[in-house]
Amino acid sequence: MARQFTPIKLGKTRNLRFGMRAIALIEDTLGVKISKLDLGDIGVKDLAVFIWAGLAHEDKNLTCEDVMDLIDEHLSIQEASEILGKAVEASFSVGANSKNE
């Protein structure tokens, strides 16, 4: 299965990826299984956690607080939310599409 990346411009172009490790980081940090989250109603801290987890594969030293600062400097919260939505959708649709091939 191909790895799905979604670019996000936060000072430089970075690549969001939501594989098992990113999902585990989200679940561990938020203390809830991803299947129990209402992805249509997440707060700004949750948004930062998702983006941080999606970028962790590129930068192990990046923190959730760093992500919040980067978003404040380079994007609006709405823009970050829209990019996150596309990244999550793309990551979860890859497996579904490859089953049909």
Side-chain angles (χ1 to χ4, degrees):
M1 174 169 53
R3 293 183 180 182
Q4 183 65 40
F5 297 96
T6 300
I8 185 170
K9 187 87 168 164
L10 293 171
K12 63 181 182 179
T13 300
R14 300 164 188 262
N15 295 293
L16 290 167
R17 181 176 79 197
F18 292 99
M20 291 183 72
R21 287 183 187 267
I23 293 168
L25 282 173
I26 293 165
E27 291 179 342
D28 289 347
T29 304
L30 297 179
V32 64
K33 291 184 180 190
I34 198 144
S35 61
K36 301 292 184 191
L37 288 171
D38 179 358
L39 298 178
D41 186 31
I42 65 171
V44 292
K45 175 75 178 203
D46 299 337
L47 174 69
V49 167
F50 267 78
I51 292 174
W52 161 73
L55 295 175
H57 69 100
E58 285 188 345
D59 186 349
K60 305 276 187 243
N61 296 317
L62 190 68
T63 66
C64 195
E65 289 76 18
D66 293 336
V67 168
M68 286 188 247
D69 291 340
L70 288 167
I71 291 170
D72 284 344
E73 292 172 24
H74 302 286
L75 295 172
S76 70
I77 294 170
Q78 180 65 35
E79 289 169 320
S81 181
E82 288 172 4
I83 293 167
L84 174 62
K86 290 176 186 173
V88 170
E89 183 179 322
S91 293
F92 285 95
S93 68
V94 168
N97 289 340
S98 65
K99 282 184 181 178
N100 296 327
E101 292 176 359

